[in-house]
Amino acid sequence: MGMSQLKICVLGCGGFIGSHLVERILSTTNWLVLGIDRDGSKIAAHRNNSRFSFVKGDIDSCKDAGEFIEKSDVVVSLAALCNPSLYNTIPLEVIQSNFVRPLSIVEKCSQLKKHLVHFSTCEVYGTTVSASMHRPFDPKTDVFIEDKTPFILGPIHAQRWSYACAKQLLERAIFAHGFEHGLAYTIIRPFNFIGPRMDFIPGVDGEGVPRVLACFMEALLFGTSLKLVDGGNNFRCFTYIDDAIDALMIVLSYPQKANNQIFNIGNPDNEITIQGLAKLMTRLYGELRPDFAGGPALIENVTAKEFYGKGYEDSDRRVPDITKAKTLLHWTPKTLLADALKTTMAFYIKEYGNLILKQEAI
Ligand code: NAD
Ligand code: UGA
């Protein structure tokens, strides 16, 4: 890819998406990566790469952040708290990390005339029009279209929406910087990316409640029950991380195709209910670990209040319209859900399976 040696600043390079982006850039281009994260464990394999400058620290207090932005051609802004279990439990930190802090990155990019690739979320859309009107899903009004669909978030006390609202306000600030100061930007709205290195397994390499994929993997690996929040009737479109990184690489390689655009990056063909996901992952786990003596996993219903606490509300369904990404970026996601899950689950089994067996033996 591209002959010129781009310098890419990746804020939050040690997270799930960041680690895949760093890996792809270093393995397929001659670009330089200047990255910052509080946690370097997921990118440890690249620390000795001479094209990767990594600073372990907090973006807020780290003096290298400004310098990295200044030195770069493009800034990819990923760092955020993005786990639904936090939205109604530490909402102030969620707002800080999804609006207040990234706003200063936006301002810096605007001032220094740097192309900003900012990671927003499909959660900005909130619930579907149909759900808010208490009528059945209608693809005509309910598929999410970047520059058309209205945003429907719950009331203030439903703090689940603190994240979506913070991300939405930041999108508005980015748009305004484009409008008033000529900021060149691209906003990505991811739809439930999944893949290796996503989140953590509680009690092994992290604490708290991760996103659904890691919650279900924890249950399968430990032989406990998979918990369905409010019956698991809500839908998600899961997108394989390699497909998502393909889209991002096109944005970075051909910024003119993506300038001042917002893109849904998701796979509408991979829609499933959370209950369906629990059943599919249970079946695949049995296939991937036929020797595992734990027997079939159990599925348990829990209320949202029991699982997440007060103030949680869910998105009912989020189907991306990806016409814009197909047309402008010539990008189409390729990986079907079962294949994405098989690769991802095989990673978790390899990474954590023996560790957990050892922990249980103690
Ligand atoms: P992640 O939690 O795996 O990665 C975020 C990284 O940012 C972490 O490594 C964390 O240590 C780092 N970080 C956070 N605050 C920091 C700070 N102040 N200083 C230094 N490092 C900091 O999350 P992810 O799944 O990779 O998501 C990345 C971005 O994409 C987020 O902005 C998220 O809102 C957005 N997003 C992701 C998804 C998805 O499907 N994964 C979906 C929608 C939106
Ligand atoms: C996620 C997060 O907000 C962000 O990471 C991101 O911005 C966005 O969506 C995205 O990935 O596109 P959500 O999809 O609600 O939000 O988060 P998950 O934790 O993955 O939950 C998905 C669904 O599974 C929800 O309905 C949740 O209630 C349910 N769930 C979760 C269970 O039924 N059981 C569990 O053990 C965990």
Side-chain angles (χ1 to χ4, degrees), residues 12 14-18 37-39 57-60 78-80 82 98 101 119-121 163 167 190 192-193 198 211:
F16 165 53
I17 299 174
D37 203 298
R38 288 180 190 137
D39 184 352
D58 198 299
I59 293 164
D60 297 323
L78 289 155
C82 54
N98 284 285
R101 185 183 38 70
F119 271 71
S120 185
T121 174
Y163 168 78
K167 288 277 201 200
N192 289 78
F193 296 174
M198 185 169 189
R211 288 170 282 192

